[in-house]
Amino acid sequence: MITGSTDGKIMVRRCLVTFKPFRIFVVGIGFFSLCFLMTSLGGQFSAKRLADSPFTIRTEVLGGVESRGVLRKISEMLEVILKRMDSLSKLDNSSTTEARRLDELRSAINRFQPVGLVERIQAIAQNVSNMAIRVEQILQNSMVQGRVREGTSSQCDVPRDPRFPECPGKVDWMRARWTSDPCYAFYGVDGSDCSFLIYLSEVEWFCPPLAWRNHTSTPIQHVEQPKAPRRQAAFRTDLSVLLDQVGAGKESLSFMKRRIRRLAQQWATAANHLDAKLEQRWRDQKKILVHVGFLTEESGDVFSPKVLKGGPLGEMVQWADILTALHVLGHNLKISMSVKELQGFLGVPPGRGSCPLTGPLPFDLIYTDYHGLQQMKQHMGLSLKKHKCHIRVIDTFGTEPAYNHEEYATLHGYRTNWGYWNLNARQYMTMFPHTPDNSFMGFVSEELNETEKRSIQQNKVNNMAVVYGKEASMWKLQGKEGFLQILHRYMEVHGTVYYETQRPPEVPAFVKNHGLLPQHELQQLLRKAKLFIGFGFPYEGPAPLEAIANGCIFLQPKFHPPHSSLNHEFFRGKPTSREVSSQHPYAEQYIGRPHVMTVDYNNSLEFDSAIRQIMRTKVEPYLPYEYTCEGMLERVHVYIQHQDFCAPESPFIPANLSRQGSSGGYRIMGPLFVPLPNSTAFGWASNVTAPPAWPPLTSLRLLISQEGQSCVEACQSAGFICEPAHFHFINNKEALRGLEVQCEVTDSEINHILPAFSEVRRECSLQREPLLFSCAGHSPKYRRLCPCRDFRRGQVALCMDCL
């Protein structure tokens, strides 16, 4: 037994606090016996609740890690027991039999003596379980006969109020299932209808307030965080506090901290540049929680053990950069790497997550991933629905609106294991700007100074190639022998494939394998190499940008047909229908030649020609601005200051933009959308005052797609970006009229391709469900109304007037 541990001391204090209100009653059942039980179980057995009762215990003799939660679980259970005993002590008209059972119960508890024998722990636990079940049975029987202190039974009749139609059903549910989670007892539920109604009206919001209750305090669900005085965010260049917050104990965290340290000077320089660019403009300091769900033990954390074995690092690269950007921008940051930390930061009541939080959400923003989102759902209960507008989900491959809308996805075959959260699609934040429906978060690559760039160009080895692939499995590509032999004919081929003792058999003998290299050694290798060549996997990682930034040309395969969730196992189940035309579409579309060459590896003549062209081509190191530290700071700053998904979005009614005419009535000032010079697009009319919006409506470029074309493609082909925030302003008859679309019928429906029209049938349809506004949707029978926008050079996420 660990009777002298710190945990034990804390639990004794907790006993004193917990039992204080019940001290008269508890004396009779052995106060120090209960305290001894709570302080002597830290490390000897594991408790798990079974079935519907929060009291059923299964015991096993276990060691250290698995038993750390036992103290808390036993404490929760005993708190519930004491609450129920307190209710029993206040009952009138208890039967003689029930009184005798209570005496037996007290006697049973008094038999728990601190004998100090580990062998008795299991017996003690079983006795506690039996005791708890008997308390529950006695309480439920007595409640039928007794009268609850707060109000008579007539005061606790279940109301039939049309404003609260779900109340009766919720009361029935509570009657049958209130013992399924100890959080209900934590909020005072004791099995009576009165306690159900109090809970459902004051903690949750399904029943009307009870007239006989004291309403001097605001019900929990209506408590709003008091408006704290606005604080200005100040740029930070010292990262020591952040490094302490990230923590230790996992190789993944060590990797992230090494990256943060290595780029510290570049972040500091970028902060100074952005500070000067913003000219001391006010920036609100936000309270931000970052919960890295995929690195928690509860999610399985398959990444940490593979950090030193060639495993994927892209997610850790991005999270390290997100943490650094938020810290450098001067926000108040909390970091959670476990479910326990998440519960503590959010104020989750003890139990299984069925109940709302104990108070207002203490954060303005929460950054997490899909694993973290699932954990929040499990532990926040109904509060997740209330607070989900504060959440930002880091999502590598993107989530399209058709997959995000739960009901629509289920009915139309878009349901996957990852989508269906009913968020605004811009709350998902991607690694590359491949899904305009989402927000582009990104990451950073190391930037070179002019001296380093000159040195690289002088020391490049013209016939040296490095293969993109750290794991031996990436070298199992069928047909690789053909193009590798061509490559070997012209160049010396290098690999960085992880191995422990023997050279991986998948790597050809002519490849010089360096094994897995630390980041600085890999950079030195890339600075010498002329070519960085991909085999087609992994998709959309950070390595090609790092290679291009170090002066390499990136060669990658073109996919025929494009890979997607419809035809490729890797994308199957992901909440997107996006078609991937190459290993790295961003490099192909946004960087392109001469830094990036995309060819058909199955065509030996084309591949051979590409190698010879690469050897003749000289390139300078190149890094897009949006992947520099300053570019990421700029982007994240704008998102934090301008994206607000909690404010209710009022319907946009073009008639509201009228002005009073001379006759006293109202008249339209003219068309809302006018043709732009030297363009097929329409813009917001300059003589009409634009309503408040972000991005501002000066950036809007209204286009019509071709049949079968998505708005992503239509906008891109015109040199613009699809902007989902602008759908709100073009989903109306005025936009159709401005584009001179002939509509014999105009209706509104729920479909992710709307607003759109059929030229053949002269039918026009507007969108009824804002969550389904989608840049990605397309149909062979319809032409779509597409809200495009302009963008800043090197910063596709922001419009010209967005900064």
Side-chain angles (χ1 to χ4, degrees):
M1 264 188 295
I2 313 175
T3 55
S5 67
T6 304
D7 283 347
K9 293 175 183 176
I10 293 171
M11 195 53 66
V12 168
R13 293 192 203 103
R14 186 168 182 177
C15 275
L16 291 168
V17 174
T18 302
F19 294 161
K20 187 175 179 181
F22 312 105
R23 57 186 179 273
I24 297 174
F25 180 66
V26 170
V27 166
I29 63 171
F31 171 81
F32 286 102
S33 296
L34 285 178
C35 281
F36 161 72
L37 179 64
M38 294 169 70
T39 57
S40 64
L41 300 180
Q44 305 305 320
F45 69 94
S46 167
K48 296 185 180 181
R49 301 182 183 93
L50 304 177
D52 291 338
S53 174
F55 302 123
T56 309
I57 295 180
R58 177 173 62 85
T59 60
E60 302 173 42
V61 177
L62 296 171
V65 176
E66 292 162 339
S67 61
R68 285 182 188 147
V70 170
L71 231 48
R72 182 174 60 82
K73 292 178 181 178
I74 292 296
S75 171
E76 291 170 5
M77 186 179 69
L78 290 176
E79 286 177 13
V80 173
I81 293 171
L82 263 295
K83 281 179 180 287
R84 296 187 186 180
M85 285 183 168
D86 187 52
S87 298
L88 283 172
S89 69
K90 297 167 186 171
L91 289 174
D92 295 335
N93 304 323
S94 293
S95 68
T96 305
T97 303
E98 287 158 356
R100 179 173 53 79
R101 287 177 179 170
L102 277 176
D103 289 337
E104 291 174 0
L105 183 59
R106 292 171 185 150
S107 175
I109 295 176
N110 280 324
R111 287 200 293 273
F112 292 145
Q113 298 299 328
V115 294
L117 298 177
V118 173
E119 293 81 5
R120 297 198 59 191
I121 294 297
Q122 288 179 312
I124 291 172
Q126 189 58 55
N127 285 334
V128 171
S129 178
N130 294 339
M131 171 190 74
I133 292 170
R134 288 168 66 186
V135 169
E136 188 175 356
Q137 292 170 344
I138 295 171
L139 178 60
Q140 289 175 342
N141 290 336
S142 299
M143 284 299 177
V144 176
Q145 305 169 19
R147 181 168 52 86
V148 180
R149 180 180 57 181
E150 291 199 75
T152 64
S153 59
S154 62
Q155 290 175 310
C156 294
D157 290 340
V158 179
R160 305 285 174 176
D161 189 329
R163 296 171 301 163
F164 299 88
E166 295 181 77
C167 184
K170 290 293 180 179
V171 172
D172 288 341
W173 188 95
M174 291 289 286
R175 286 168 178 159
R177 302 276 295 168
W178 76 274
T179 59
S180 63
D181 194 323
C183 71
Y184 296 116
F186 172 83
Y187 279 119
V189 175
D190 57 18
S192 67
D193 279 2
C194 284
S195 69
F196 296 154
L197 291 171
I198 292 169
Y199 174 85
L200 290 171
S201 62
E202 298 180 16
V203 179
E204 295 186 11
W205 45 87
F206 295 105
C207 293
L210 300 173
W212 52 270
R213 288 282 291 171
N214 180 358
H215 293 294
T216 56
S217 60
T218 307
I220 289 174
Q221 78 273 16
H222 297 305
V223 174
E224 293 296 333
Q225 188 81 309
K227 283 250 178 181
R230 291 175 66 195
R231 296 187 60 183
Q232 184 168 9
F235 284 99
R236 301 187 185 106
T237 55
D238 182 357
L239 303 183
S240 56
V241 172
L242 173 64
L243 290 166
D244 289 340
Q245 284 184 291
V246 171
K250 289 185 175 186
E251 193 53 49
S252 54
L253 302 183
S254 299
F255 171 85
M256 291 166 67
K257 290 169 77 170
R258 287 194 298 270
R259 178 176 177 82
I260 293 169
R261 289 191 190 97
R262 191 173 69 253
L263 295 174
Q265 186 54 54
Q266 296 198 12
W267 284 111
T269 302
N272 292 330
H273 286 173
L274 184 58
D275 194 17
K277 187 185 293 186
L278 295 177
E279 300 176 339
Q280 304 299 314
R281 192 182 310 162
W282 177 280
R283 296 182 302 112
D284 282 332
Q285 186 188 60
K286 304 290 187 179
K287 296 177 182 177
I288 299 176
L289 172 64
V290 178
H291 177 61
V292 189
F294 83 104
L295 289 182
T296 62
E297 294 299 329
E298 291 82 358
S299 72
D301 187 12
V302 298
F303 288 83
S304 295
K306 295 183 178 181
V307 168
L308 299 179
K309 297 183 179 181
L313 301 176
E315 287 82 358
M316 281 167 269
V317 164
Q318 188 180 31
W319 276 109
D321 295 347
I322 291 169
L323 289 169
T324 311
L326 296 173
H327 175 83
V328 169
L329 286 169
H331 297 292
N332 186 346
L333 198 60
K334 301 293 183 185
I335 302 172
S336 163
M337 298 282 184
S338 70
V339 169
K340 183 178 180 181
E341 289 176 315
L342 175 70
Q343 291 173 318
F345 284 136
L346 292 177
V348 174
R352 299 178 182 175
S354 303
C355 303
L357 302 182
T358 56
L361 187 72
F363 298 99
D364 300 305
L365 292 170
I366 300 174
Y367 289 83
T368 189
D369 52 26
Y370 266 125
H371 294 284
L373 195 56
Q374 188 63 48
Q375 290 164 353
M376 290 169 68
K377 178 183 178 182
Q378 183 180 350
H379 294 280
M380 286 178 69
L382 290 169
S383 295
L384 180 64
K385 183 177 181 180
K386 179 180 180 182
H387 299 306
K388 67 181 181 180
C389 61
H390 299 275
I391 296 172
R392 306 293 183 268
V393 182
I394 306 305
D395 174 19
T396 302
F397 295 100
T399 298
E400 293 176 356
Y403 295 82
N404 168 64
H405 191 288
E406 183 176 18
E407 183 179 358
Y408 186 83
T410 304
L411 292 174
H412 295 86
Y414 293 102
R415 181 75 182 238
T416 70
N417 291 332
W418 298 106
Y420 67 80
W421 288 95
N422 293 322
L423 303 177
N424 186 308
R426 285 173 286 153
Q427 291 176 253
Y428 299 101
M429 312 192 88
T430 58
M431 185 172 275
F432 291 95
H434 46 57
T435 307
D437 288 307
N438 305 153
S439 298
F440 162 45
M441 171 59 77
F443 60 94
V444 305
S445 283
E446 198 161 344
E447 201 171 358
L448 305 180
N449 58 40
E450 293 304 316
T451 303
E452 290 170 322
K453 289 179 181 178
R454 284 194 299 270
S455 174
I456 284 175
Q457 289 179 289
Q458 292 168 2
N459 296 304
K460 277 290 177 186
V461 178
N462 204 45
N463 66 338
M464 179 178 174
V466 175
V467 174
Y468 180 17
K470 299 175 296 182
E471 292 186 88
S473 60
M474 297 176 186
W475 291 69
K476 293 179 180 179
L477 180 70
Q478 286 188 345
K480 75 175 186 300
E481 295 79 9
F483 65 79
L484 275 180
Q485 285 294 343
I486 296 174
L487 179 62
H488 178 49
R489 191 187 310 155
Y490 295 101
M491 290 186 163
E492 184 180 83
V493 184
H494 294 249
T496 58
V497 185
Y498 168 78
Y499 67 95
E500 292 182 353
T501 55
Q502 295 182 336
R503 178 187 177 90
E506 296 88 351
V507 180
F510 59 77
V511 174
K512 184 177 181 181
N513 186 31
H514 299 262
L516 191 65
L517 295 177
Q519 182 64 25
H520 68 280
E521 292 184 31
L522 176 61
Q523 272 203 327
Q524 294 305 315
L525 188 67
L526 293 174
R527 290 182 180 189
K528 290 172 62 178
K530 182 65 177 286
L531 172 65
F532 189 61
I533 179 172
F535 284 175
F537 188 84
Y539 299 99
E540 299 178 314
L545 264 65
E546 294 172 355
I548 295 166
N550 282 289
C552 293
I553 293 175
F554 177 49
L555 179 64
Q556 63 172 343
K558 182 179 288 292
F559 298 146
H560 296 293
H563 293 180
S564 73
S565 57
L566 300 178
N567 63 11
H568 202 274
E569 189 59 36
F570 178 82
F571 290 102
R572 191 162 289 122
K574 290 182 170 56
T576 176
S577 300
R578 182 167 62 96
E579 294 185 334
V580 177
S581 58
S582 62
Q583 182 174 356
H584 207 292
Y586 176 86
E588 178 186 7
Q589 296 167 15
Y590 288 91
I591 301 177
R593 291 174 183 254
H595 301 280
V596 180
M597 296 186 68
T598 306
V599 301
D600 182 0
Y601 281 20
N602 294 318
N603 185 327
S604 57
L605 291 177
E606 185 179 352
F607 186 86
D608 186 287
S609 174
I611 298 298
R612 287 187 280 111
Q613 184 178 348
I614 287 168
M615 296 181 71
R616 294 192 304 267
T617 304
K618 289 188 176 182
V619 296
E620 295 182 1
Y622 173 72
L623 180 62
Y625 174 75
E626 54 201 353
Y627 284 97
T628 65
C629 291
E630 184 178 343
M632 184 166 184
L633 284 177
E634 181 180 275
R635 187 167 59 249
V636 176
H637 149 69
V638 172
Y639 287 154
I640 290 174
Q641 299 302 320
H642 293 286
Q643 282 189 336
D644 183 0
F645 302 112
C646 296
E649 193 171 44
S650 56
F652 172 64
I653 303 173
N656 290 345
L657 300 177
S658 308
R659 67 179 181 183
Q660 192 167 10
S662 57
S663 63
Y666 286 84
R667 62 183 177 84
I668 298 294
M669 295 175 63
L672 296 182
F673 307 99
V674 295
L676 296 174
N678 304 317
S679 175
T680 58
F682 284 65
W684 188 267
S686 59
N687 64 334
V688 179
T689 303
W694 194 89
L697 285 173
T698 54
S699 67
L700 173 61
R701 303 291 184 265
L702 177 57
L703 284 174
I704 300 176
S705 76
Q706 298 300 314
E707 289 179 341
Q709 189 180 41
S710 71
C711 287
V712 175
E713 298 163 327
C715 295
Q716 203 167 60
S717 64
F720 302 123
I721 296 293
C722 183
E723 177 49 68
H726 288 336
F727 271 115
H728 184 58
F729 301 101
I730 68 164
N731 187 47
N732 51 58
K733 294 180 180 179
E734 282 70 18
L736 291 166
R737 278 197 292 267
L739 293 167
E740 298 182 349
V741 176
Q742 302 299 314
C743 304
E744 292 184 1
V745 177
T746 302
D747 58 13
S748 63
E749 299 177 29
I750 296 177
N751 193 302
H752 72 291
I753 68 165
L754 303 179
F757 64 93
S758 168
E759 280 188 317
V760 175
R761 296 193 295 270
R762 293 194 172 192
E763 293 177 353
C764 300
S765 296
L766 302 177
Q767 179 63 261
R768 198 191 308 164
E769 173 50 80
L771 288 182
L772 285 173
F773 283 136
S774 171
C775 292
H778 59 88
S779 167
K781 298 179 181 179
Y782 285 87
R783 299 183 68 183
R784 301 198 56 199
L785 274 63
C786 295
C788 310
R789 64 162 169 82
D790 58 22
F791 57 90
R792 300 172 68 86
R793 182 176 174 82
Q795 185 71 289
V796 70
L798 304 182
C799 69
M800 298 296 289
D801 295 332
C802 280
L803 190 58

